[in-house]
Amino acid sequence: MKKMKRIITLAAAAALLLSGCAGPSGPAGLPAGWGEDWILVGDLLGVEPMEGFAPGENRDALGAAGLYYATWTAGEGETITNDEDEEAAVYDAQLYVLIQQYKEGGKAETALEDWQERERENYGSGEAAAETHAGQAFTVLPLLEGKEGNPYTHGAAAFALHEGGWALCVELLCRDGFEGEPQAVLGAFLDGFHYNDG
C-alpha cells in the first residue's frame, strides 16, 4: 500500500515535469453499452463489479496530466501503523488501478518499466508472463513475498500499454488470510475491463 502511494506520487511528480502530457479531464457521459454500475477510471476505463471486492478510492490524482487511480477492497479494514508512524487501513486483499496517458512517444513504455522495477524492489517476484484479458495484452508479474514490514505478503501485478499513449498498472495485494489465488483473481478482474477508444 505504501509502495503504491509512492508510485502514484512519483508518477504525479513526473507528470508535472513532462510537457505535452495533458489528457482529457474525464468522460462527459457513459459510452454506449456501458453498465451504470461500472466504475469509471479516467477517460479510458470502465471496470465491472468484482465479486468479493467493494469499490474504494477513485481519484484523478493529476487529471490535467492524464493520471488516474482507483482501488477496490476485500474483507474488513484493519488499522495499522506503518514504518513512517502513519495510520493506514489494510484489508484481506486490495486491488489498485493506476493509469496515465502520455502524449510523447516512448514515455508510456518508460513508465511501465519504472513501475515494474518498483514492484521488484518491494516484492520477491516470479517470472513475468504474457496474458490477454478483454482483448488487452498484459505482462503479469507474480508477487511472491513482501518485504519486511509490508502487511501485504503476496499478490500479482499486471502492466499494459493501450492505444492513445496509455500506461496501465493493475495490482492485487493480499494478506496471509486471503483465500484466492492472486493471478486467477487478478485475471478475473482484468476480464471485466472495458476501454473507451471512441
Side-chain angles (χ1 to χ4, degrees), residues 94-169:
Q94 190 153 6
L95 284 158
Y96 296 87
V97 173
L98 175 65
I99 62 175
Q100 184 160 11
Q101 187 178 35
Y102 294 88
K103 296 296 187 183
E104 294 181 22
K107 296 290 188 182
E109 291 88 342
T110 300
L112 286 189
E113 291 170 5
D114 291 346
W115 292 346
Q116 290 181 56
E117 182 57 32
R118 288 191 188 101
E119 292 286 5
R120 291 185 175 98
E121 289 173 0
N122 287 284
Y123 288 89
S125 58
E127 186 173 342
E131 297 183 14
T132 300
H133 297 277
Q136 172 66 56
F138 286 90
T139 298
V140 178
L141 184 67
L143 306 176
L144 304 178
E145 183 179 5
K147 301 296 183 185
E148 185 176 351
N150 187 340
Y152 293 109
T153 56
H154 62 292
F159 308 89
L161 295 173
H162 190 79
E163 62 184 80
W166 288 98
L168 290 77
C169 173

Side-chain angles (χ1 to χ4, degrees), residues 1-167:
M1 182 175 59
K2 185 170 108 179
K3 174 198 58 59
M4 180 53 75
K5 287 183 180 177
R6 186 177 303 130
I7 288 174
I8 291 167
T9 301
L10 290 171
L16 281 173
L17 296 174
L18 297 173
S19 60
C21 286
S25 60
L30 293 176
W34 280 30
E36 292 186 8
D37 61 344
W38 297 358
I39 299 297
L40 302 180
V41 185
D43 291 340
L44 176 67
L45 199 57
V47 182
E48 293 182 24
M50 175 74 170
E51 185 176 352
F53 284 82
E57 293 181 277
N58 187 346
R59 301 187 181 187
D60 60 349
L62 199 59
L67 175 65
Y68 308 89
Y69 78 97
T71 66
W72 288 255
T73 59
E76 295 295 321
E78 176 186 347
T79 301
I80 65 163
T81 302
N82 64 23
D83 293 343
E84 298 173 358
D85 205 30
E86 300 169 336
E87 288 191 348
V90 296
Y91 299 85
D92 292 345
Q94 190 153 6
L95 284 158
Y96 296 87
V97 173
L98 175 65
I99 62 175
Q100 184 160 11
Q101 187 178 35
Y102 294 88
K103 296 296 187 183
E104 294 181 22
K107 296 290 188 182
E109 291 88 342
T110 300
L112 286 189
E113 291 170 5
D114 291 346
W115 292 346
Q116 290 181 56
E117 182 57 32
R118 288 191 188 101
E119 292 286 5
R120 291 185 175 98
E121 289 173 0
N122 287 284
Y123 288 89
S125 58
E127 186 173 342
E131 297 183 14
T132 300
H133 297 277
Q136 172 66 56
F138 286 90
T139 298
V140 178
L141 184 67
L143 306 176
L144 304 178
E145 183 179 5
K147 301 296 183 185
E148 185 176 351
N150 187 340
Y152 293 109
T153 56
H154 62 292
F159 308 89
L161 295 173
H162 190 79
E163 62 184 80
W166 288 98

